[in-house]
Amino acid sequence: MKKIFLFLIMASAISCGKKISQENTSTTPKEPKKEAVVGGDSDSHGCKASAGYTWSVLKKECIRVFENSTRLNHAEDGKKYSTVSYVIFDGNKAELFLDTQKESIILERKSEGDSWVNGDWQLIPWKGYVLKKSGKILYTGE
């Protein structure tokens, strides 16, 4: 009787072991991993954002806005920001790359010493630069 009981326990254990092992080696096909292609993030102008490039309407080429530009910080409004904005200049034109806008904004001035303007945007050369929209100071920079 003891031998039969022992045999049943062992047979049961072996049977359970097979089921668990079969579950672990199921033949369901796994989805292949999709790997990101390095440099495959070109925009419609061919600028690679992963390398820090963005399209400049003013320069008509891909540029790195953090090089050869003026940094604009959010004006003191009591909030903490982790992003910055930039402005580049070319003659009497300025191009704004704002962290709050998807597209850059082109401003123009009439002559040396004047503010750059586009609609309700105004970039004033005063103690560095002050960027206003509808009369409200949004950014400052040096």
Side-chain angles (χ1 to χ4, degrees):
M1 187 71 145
K2 287 182 184 178
K3 288 181 183 179
I4 294 174
F5 183 69
L6 244 167
F7 176 74
L8 289 175
I9 291 175
M10 287 178 62
S12 176
I14 291 170
S15 172
C16 286
K18 271 189 175 179
K19 285 183 183 177
I20 290 171
S21 121
Q22 286 173 351
E23 288 172 6
N24 290 341
T25 60
S26 66
T27 58
T28 55
K30 291 183 180 179
E31 241 181 81
K33 288 184 180 179
K34 293 181 183 178
E35 293 185 27
V37 178
V38 177
D41 62 335
S42 297
D43 67 10
S44 61
H45 298 283
C47 303
K48 296 190 184 308
S50 63
Y53 288 93
T54 189
W55 179 253
S56 168
V57 173
L58 191 58
K59 302 278 187 183
K60 294 180 179 50
E61 64 182 350
C62 297
I63 64 166
R64 297 171 99 181
V65 294
F66 49 86
E67 294 176 348
N68 302 317
S69 61
T70 301
R71 179 180 166 154
L72 298 175
N73 296 307
H74 286 270
E76 297 296 324
D77 60 1
K79 296 179 186 174
K80 298 270 186 204
Y81 295 94
S82 60
T83 56
V84 294
S85 297
Y86 297 92
V87 61
I88 61 169
F89 299 96
D90 190 8
N92 281 336
K93 292 186 179 183
E95 185 171 10
L96 298 171
F97 296 90
L98 303 179
D99 57 348
T100 57
Q101 304 289 316
K102 287 186 179 185
E103 302 289 326
S104 65
I105 301 167
I106 303 292
L107 307 174
E108 238 179 302
R109 67 179 180 179
K110 293 183 187 208
S111 63
E112 188 78 27
D114 285 347
S115 297
W116 292 266
V117 180
N118 180 346
D120 53 354
W121 290 99
Q122 181 182 21
L123 182 64
I124 304 163
W126 183 75
K127 293 184 180 181
Y129 297 97
V130 175
L131 180 62
K132 292 182 173 183
K133 184 175 182 183
S134 303
K136 182 181 177 187
I137 297 173
L138 298 180
Y139 296 88
T140 59
E142 293 181 30

